[in-house]
Amino acid sequence: MPFLTEEFGNASSRHEYGSRARIAINAARERIAALVSVDPVQVIFTSGGTEANNMFFGGMAAYLRPSQVVISGIEHPCVSVPASKLVRQGWSLDNLNVTEDGEIRLTEISVDRFHLNGLVSVMLANNETGVIQPVREIARVVRKSGGWMHSDAVQALGKIKVDFEELGVHALSISAHKINGPKGIGALIIDKKLPIEPFINGGGHERGYRSGTESVASIVGFGVAAEEAQRNLDRYQSQVSPIRDKIESDLALIGATIFGKNVERLPNTTCFSIPDIHGETLVMELNKGGFAVASGAACSSHNAKASATLSAMNVSESLSLGAVRVSLGPHNSLDEASRFGIAVSQITDDLKNMAAVAISA
Ligand code: PLP
């Protein structure tokens, strides 16, 4: 709050107000660095996960000669779109397939798959299914082939351990609002030797990597959220997964398909579909009952197309259009999970009865 109300200093100013802002930014940088186990100089603040992902592709392509760019078939559009735009600059584009459970096939990973100085980007956890991807294993192979490995860890941060060194990546994108921080702030975490050109140029902020007067309040909020996420990390799984499991066992009783159920997933995410029930309709009806859930990917929920992630998992279009995603947190309770199951069951019955009446009429 002080940075939204009283502390108006610009961190680039030499006076007292400015230096208080600079000290606050540095403290936030340290907290975020601690959450992903890096040195604070490796944290480059951006306007969010979208910018961090675009910065990786734009900044690397500005430095390197065109080579190969490899992404998985389930990446967020802020990875897949900048990656595919590199084709216009002479880069070749290759896609890694996923299994029916939404996990990258490790059988597709070999040293000869990746080119020297190629860019490889694989998300740590998927935003729709929560399925955790084998980033560490892929990074090891990419390094052997002389490529550069990036991971979009926006969904994974705060839910599972995200350790930059342990993952073996060269760059990692994170965003504050996925860990209860402010919207509009994120970071690209970079290897100290990453050959990346500044993506947004200007007054040389963020060690020249990302110019523009820092959004002090957002950065401070991100720092506080990071500190809290780190404090709660050990108990996150044991607090949240029983709630998710309760929801899923209730959903199974009404014939729902749970996507990615057989593989390792984030503890807080469930993505399901009930045959013949449209996801958008279910979301609107649940909203009336006070449940805030999303159909398909939240970032593109205005778009009623079948989700690219579920299509990559070979899910039929009709089941895919029924997809609903529930994201939980430690603030949710088992009682809410029970009420959610009852609400879905009632809405499903009502919608099926209405459809039966319409057909008989
Ligand atoms: N990457 C993933 C996996 C996401 O789920 C999102 C947004 O939900 C983003 C990137 C974009 O992050 P931001 O909203 O901070 O731009």
Side-chain angles (χ1 to χ4, degrees), residues 48-51 53 76 78 123 125 127 152 154-155 175 177-178 299:
T50 299
E51 186 187 319
N53 285 337
H76 191 277
C78 62
M123 66 195 338
N127 45 309
D152 173 351
V154 165
Q155 286 290 339
S175 176
H177 70 100
K178 298 293 192 239
C299 301

Side-chain angles (χ1 to χ4, degrees), residues 19-38:
S19 64
R20 285 213 294 267
R22 171 63 52 210
I23 289 167
I25 288 181
N26 288 344
R29 199 186 301 281
E30 280 173 21
R31 288 166 167 164
I32 293 153
L35 183 59
V36 290
S37 306
V38 295

Side-chain angles (χ1 to χ4, degrees), residues 2 7 10 20 27 48 95 107 121 166 194 206 214 237 258 278 286 296 299 306 321 327-328:
E7 294 284 352
N10 178 337
R20 285 213 294 267
N95 255 291
T107 47
S121 182
E166 227 174 80
L194 193 70
E206 296 297 290
E214 296 93 337
Q237 171 106 25
I258 313 281
H278 203 275
L286 282 166
C299 301
L321 288 175
S327 294
L328 301 158

Side-chain angles (χ1 to χ4, degrees), residues 36-39 42 136 139 143 162-170 172 189-192:
V36 290
S37 306
V38 295
D39 197 287
Q42 294 176 258
R136 191 155 52 128
R143 278 181 181 267
V162 177
D163 183 314
F164 187 86
E165 288 296 322
E166 227 174 80
L167 287 170
V169 293
H170 294 100
L172 188 88
I189 312 294
I190 57 171
D191 184 292
K192 287 181 186 158

Side-chain angles (χ1 to χ4, degrees), residues 243-270:
I243 304 169
R244 196 263 310 268
D245 294 347
K246 167 70 183 148
I247 288 180
E248 292 190 349
S249 60
D250 287 352
L251 289 173
L253 295 177
I254 51 174
T257 298
I258 313 281
F259 302 111
K261 185 152 176 53
N262 306 316
V263 292
E264 210 189 338
R265 282 179 298 157
L266 297 177
N268 75 317
T269 309
T270 187

